[in-house]
Amino acid sequence: MKSRICELLNIEYPIFQGAMARISDASLAAAVSEAGGLGIIAGGTAPVEAIRAEVRKAKELTNKPFGVNIMLLSEFADGMAQMVCEEGVKVVTTGAGAPGKYMEMWKSHGIKVIPVVPSVAIAKRMVRSGADAVIAEGTESGGHVGELTTMVLVPQVVDAVAAEVPVIAAGGIGDGRGVAAAFMLGADAVQVGTRFLTAFECTVHQNYKQKVLNAKDIDTVVTGRRTGHPVRTLKNQLTRKFVALESTNATVQEIEQLGVGALSKAVVHGDMDNGSVMAGQIAAIVNKEQSCKDIITSMLSEAEQLLHKDWR
Ligand code: TUI
């Protein structure tokens, strides 16, 4: 039995690799797409030409479809929106905002548009503005998060929009049990981020991988609620500073200053004390390094057993 998302996107398996800013590059995305899922290159806050180069690399590494995520808070979002059209990208996911103003341009280039949504109201609005599917992302996720859990958000988004478009569940899904649970909630596919952090093809610093491998259930924390940009990361010296500063009457600028450059400290330099180590709550069950192919195969075969389904 094939998921309708597989037909929509011309992929083999209903697994998306979550776009992780600064981390999800051509190497990771192409490996996931080659393995039959949907690899996604993260635009994050990077300049347009850096991401164009990753798109071109991915095209050399795979002939299968892959996506680009456009983080709408980025100052380069407009240029990124244009670039995906120029490069013939097949799928665009969006995060941290509403992509309405780009919808017509993307549609006219045959791009499938799949926004991440943190609530039912936003899901409905995205579908009205032309989204081809939505990713319902629970607060278990790493990075910029909403309030609702995956367990609560997914069935409500399914009730609201699944008659019109497929729904992809994200947040807290790291093995076959999570995949099966998402399908039981009515999802058509899953998006997985944290589990791919420790993939062989993931180019993040080894210290970052090790911190994910060592993580326990309560090792993530959300900071930035006061600034309006809540972000889930693994606890460290930096998050302790954030928590301390947020409990004072420090200004939003002072708090945000602490985060400047912190993601690249972690991702590129492996600074696990002062870096922002974004990861989801499911990090605790990620305990080995594997190829993307093995991750996808093992998640799907576990889920298939639980669901008595056969995707292959
Ligand atoms: O976007 C994410 N996760 C991210 S983005 C990121 S990089 C970053 N850089 C600087 C500041 C903040 C983040 C790290 N992780 N997930 C998707 C997501 N989208 N979560 C929540 C939303 C969202 C929120 C509001 C989507 C739509 C939305 O709509 C608002 C509106 O205007 O309708």
Side-chain angles (χ1 to χ4, degrees), residues 21 45 71 73 95-98 116 118 122 125-126 137 142-144 146 231 278:
T45 55
M71 210 280 282
L73 289 173
V116 171
I122 295 175
R125 184 145 45 83
M126 299 294 189
E137 187 189 84
H144 181 64
V231 170
M278 293 184 188

Side-chain angles (χ1 to χ4, degrees), residues 19-21 44-45 69-74 94-99 115-118 122 125-126 137 141-146 191 229-231 256 263 278:
M20 298 172 280
T45 55
N69 175 268
I70 301 184
M71 210 280 282
L72 295 167
L73 289 173
S74 165
T94 64
V116 171
V117 299
I122 295 175
R125 184 145 45 83
M126 299 294 189
E137 187 189 84
S141 303
H144 181 64
V145 289
Q191 175 164 280
H229 294 141
V231 170
E256 292 204 323
L263 187 56
M278 293 184 188

Side-chain angles (χ1 to χ4, degrees), residues 65 85 107 110 128 138 141 196 219 237 248 252 264 267 312:
C85 297
K107 292 289 173 138
R128 265 202 310 275
S141 303
F196 284 114
D219 284 352
Q237 201 175 300
T248 67
V252 166
S264 57
V267 172
R312 279 159 302 149

Side-chain angles (χ1 to χ4, degrees), residues 29-211:
V32 170
S33 288
E34 267 301 289
L38 184 75
I40 301 178
I41 294 169
T45 55
V48 176
E49 294 313 310
I51 302 304
R52 190 193 301 275
E54 292 303 314
V55 168
R56 291 186 176 172
K57 254 190 252 172
K59 283 192 246 177
E60 285 180 11
L61 294 169
T62 184
N63 290 322
K64 297 189 178 172
F66 61 87
V68 171
N69 175 268
I70 301 184
M71 210 280 282
L72 295 167
L73 289 173
S74 165
E75 61 178 304
F76 304 114
D78 285 350
M80 214 66 91
Q82 191 82 47
M83 181 275 288
V84 292
C85 297
E86 292 158 5
E87 295 299 323
V89 170
K90 301 282 189 292
V91 186
V92 166
T93 65
T94 64
K101 66 171 174 175
Y102 308 122
M103 206 61 97
E104 227 180 270
M105 174 174 69
W106 287 339
K107 292 289 173 138
S108 73
H109 285 80
I111 295 175
K112 300 285 186 256
V113 185
I114 312 185
V116 171
V117 299
S119 72
V120 169
I122 295 175
K124 284 185 178 164
R125 184 145 45 83
M126 299 294 189
V127 172
R128 265 202 310 275
S129 72
D132 294 285
V134 293
I135 301 168
E137 187 189 84
T139 194
E140 295 93 324
S141 303
H144 181 64
V145 289
E147 288 290 333
L148 297 176
T149 62
T150 301
M151 179 78 98
V152 165
L153 178 65
V154 172
Q156 295 189 72
V157 170
V158 165
D159 285 348
V161 303
E164 291 153 87
V165 299
V167 174
I168 298 97
I173 302 169
D175 64 12
R177 293 170 298 182
V179 176
F183 276 83
M184 288 309 221
L185 296 176
D188 297 278
V190 296
Q191 175 164 280
V192 174
T194 303
R195 175 88 186 255
F196 284 114
L197 276 173
T198 63
F200 294 137
E201 298 91 342
C202 179
T203 57
V204 75
H205 197 284
Q206 190 62 30
N207 294 354
Y208 202 125
K209 292 187 179 181
Q210 199 55 51
K211 194 164 169 73

